Amino acid sequence: MHFTDIRKSAGITFQQDGTATDEKMYIETMGTGLGWIDYDQDGLMDLYFVQTASTDWYKAPGPLRSALYRNNGDGTFTDVTEKAGVGGEGLYGQGVAVGDYDNDGYPDLYLMGYGHAILYHNNGNGTFTDVTPKAGVGDEGQWSSSAAWIDYDRDGHLDLAVCNYIQWTPTNNLWCGEKRPGYRAYCHPDNYRGQKLKLYHSNGDGTFTDVSEKSGVGVPEAKGLGIVSVDLNNDGWPDILVANDTWPNFLFLNNHDGTFRDVSFSSGVAASEDGKYEAGMGTDAADVDGDGWLDIYVTHLDFELDRLYHNNHDETFDDVTYASGLANKAIFLSGVSMKFMDYDNDGWADIFQSNGAMLDNIHMYHSEVSYEEPKLMFRNLGQGKFEKVSDHLGPDFTRPTAGRGCAVADFDNDGDLDVAVLNRGDYPQLLRNDGGNANNWLSVKLVGTKSARDATGAVLKLVSEGVTQIEQAKGGMAYMSAHDPRIHFGLGERKTIDSLEIKWLSGTVDKLTNVPINRIITVKEGAGIVPGQFPSAPPR
């Protein structure tokens, strides 16, 4: 199997503007994210790219806007940005989060950026409306990077957790690096104070209330770039994990009363095994060893290690980066974004990682490091042991780029997971998985009724020929990006499913039998499997 970049043949012409200048403005390094969203609910995942903007110090050669591409179902996409009204013109965009915040059956877009954010409400007719002032989630004056939709109080309405980054402005942009031609460098985040997380509680009427301080998550200083909402202590309530840049990572456990307790240090995820705060960017959680508890991965810069934390079932984690076989496999690469994905459908969560140095002149300081870097895939061998398999996945996969956001989806509904990557100052890549569906699989679209319609926070337990797999419907993940909300199970060579149990946040439990394989199914809370439309791409 391999991955094929079909961006050109798919008709995607979007190109990210890196806004590069000789002044080395800090914000230029970040790149942007991207997100999968079935905005028209036709069963095909559409793709949204986040763009930057002209600024006081940078004038783009032409108009800049974010872009929404509709999936035509035949391997091609059509730019529908203008009709949809989601260009975000004038916003120096960063990340995107997708969630149906009003439970109307159509996913909405939250676009983050420098200075403010935008909430686009999906009108259900192919268009969106900017409802930011009414909703109260504009994040004014902040530098928002990533966000996660999360029903933290289990009231059936999606709330919104937003990462904010550092207190940087064009006027406090420092000169870093040597003062000779070509050696000026982008500064280190240690030169700037951090901002704070925001938590917006849904009032159930399309408006939100800022509960950041009241909940506890907005109290400590942060430098947040990656976030995932996930139940890490298996108590049935979603928690919040944040990857901070050169700052302690956060783990907020849900107290079930609208507040969270900060266990970042006591849990062991705040720092590396040797006590260092590294350049946390991308993050996700998955059960990598089959024990039913979700483990954590966080990416970092070159000369640091990308960390895997094993869940000890007692609200503590061990740094198992070396024991897992990951260790120095990426020591000269800057891991920006990552996502757990079972790329070969063997039933184990693998690790996809997009890489790219922050400094475009990094070679002047470290001859062994390049600005553009290859992507990585770590194959899970079972029981949480990994091997690097990137070089076996084709030239399109390993082509070096300045990788930033990544987003995973089965965009052609053929049963294997594909990847889109946003590259700074370049065209994105749309990496189609060719051959991953040789193994069996199941994909589940969840529809909540008592729970939020997105079903974020639901826990799925699949038993197939005696083998048990645990997955969760998570919010956030990776770096400034949004993913296919359908829950994907690789089954390997197993041909039958004994049962599929879904624990919804409302407390409802659905246990299904006679579940088909090699299908995308829709499961409605309290009703079981219901009809769903998921067009498949034509055979290749």
Side-chain angles (χ1 to χ4, degrees), residues 287-428:
D287 179 10
V288 302
D289 54 0
D291 64 357
W293 297 71
L294 271 57
D295 311 292
I296 295 168
Y297 190 81
V298 182
T299 63
H300 300 108
L301 286 180
D302 46 27
F303 302 103
E304 298 175 339
L305 300 183
D306 302 304
R307 300 285 174 178
L308 179 64
Y309 297 93
H310 175 261
N311 192 327
N312 296 324
H313 313 175
D314 60 1
E315 299 183 355
T316 70
F317 293 77
D318 285 337
D319 183 342
V320 294
T321 306
Y322 280 93
S324 65
L326 295 167
N328 294 322
K329 297 293 195 302
I331 192 66
F332 295 130
L333 301 179
S334 290
V336 181
S337 189
M338 64 78 51
K339 180 75 175 65
F340 283 113
M341 60 178 290
D342 185 0
Y343 81 97
D344 55 358
N345 281 343
D346 67 351
W348 293 98
D350 311 303
I351 297 171
F352 171 83
Q353 185 169 312
S354 62
N355 307 292
M358 295 295 109
L359 306 185
D360 51 6
N361 56 357
I362 186 67
H363 61 283
M364 294 183 173
Y365 292 91
H366 299 288
S367 59
E368 63 271 58
V369 178
S370 299
Y371 173 56
E372 295 182 331
E373 300 174 347
K375 286 157 285 298
L376 289 173
M377 185 73 81
F378 294 109
R379 182 172 182 262
N380 191 334
L381 302 176
Q383 304 302 318
K385 305 294 183 181
F386 293 84
E387 69 172 349
K388 179 182 170 184
V389 296
S390 317
D391 293 340
H392 303 291
L393 298 180
D396 288 345
F397 189 90
T398 54
R399 181 173 73 83
T401 62
R404 295 300 187 256
C406 76
V408 173
D410 181 7
F411 79 85
D412 49 5
N413 289 343
D414 68 347
D416 49 31
L417 295 175
D418 315 293
V419 187
V421 179
L422 200 295
N423 300 309
R424 184 194 169 209
D426 200 350
Y427 293 102

Side-chain angles (χ1 to χ4, degrees), residues 36-47 69-77 410-413 484 486 533-537:
W36 293 100
I37 173 175
D38 183 4
Y39 82 100
D40 52 2
Q41 289 296 282
D42 64 352
L44 295 163
M45 299 306 300
D46 312 300
L47 190 51
Y69 281 83
R70 182 181 184 274
N71 188 338
N72 299 321
D74 59 359
T76 68
F77 290 74
D410 181 7
F411 79 85
D412 49 5
N413 289 343
D484 191 333
R486 299 172 296 189
Q533 176 188 9
F534 303 104
S536 296

Side-chain angles (χ1 to χ4, degrees), residues 108-266:
D108 310 296
L109 275 170
Y110 187 65
L111 176 60
M112 289 152 282
Y114 180 76
H116 69 281
I118 300 172
L119 178 60
Y120 286 115
H121 174 260
N122 190 331
N123 300 321
N125 60 1
T127 70
F128 291 74
T129 300
D130 182 347
V131 296
T132 314
K134 174 189 175 183
V137 292
D139 210 38
E140 295 294 334
Q142 304 297 303
W143 180 352
S144 50
S145 56
S146 295
W149 292 100
I150 170 176
D151 184 7
Y152 74 92
D153 55 356
R154 305 201 329 185
D155 67 351
H157 299 282
L158 289 183
D159 313 299
L160 183 62
V162 182
C163 283
N164 291 308
Y165 191 37
I166 60 173
Q167 297 180 28
W168 173 89
T169 68
T171 56
N172 69 10
N173 192 66
L174 305 174
W175 183 299
C176 294
E178 300 179 30
K179 291 197 173 183
R180 53 183 174 133
Y183 276 79
R184 184 172 183 176
Y186 294 107
C187 288
H188 194 276
D190 279 352
N191 291 288
Y192 302 98
R193 294 290 303 272
Q195 295 186 334
K196 295 185 177 182
L197 268 65
K198 289 286 187 180
L199 181 60
Y200 296 100
H201 174 260
S202 172
N203 300 321
D205 59 359
T207 69
F208 294 77
T209 299
D210 186 342
V211 295
S212 309
E213 291 192 12
K214 177 182 177 182
S215 67
V217 304
V219 174
E221 182 179 341
K223 296 182 179 180
L225 289 178
I227 186 171
V228 57
S229 62
V230 62
D231 181 6
L232 287 167
N233 58 357
N234 283 358
D235 66 351
W237 293 74
D239 310 305
I240 297 174
L241 173 73
V242 176
N244 283 310
D245 191 1
T246 66
W247 200 253
N249 298 318
F250 293 158
L251 176 52
F252 295 107
L253 294 182
N254 198 321
N255 288 328
H256 313 174
D257 61 0
T259 68
F260 292 78
R261 52 194 168 101
D262 186 347
V263 299
S264 307
F265 289 95
S266 63

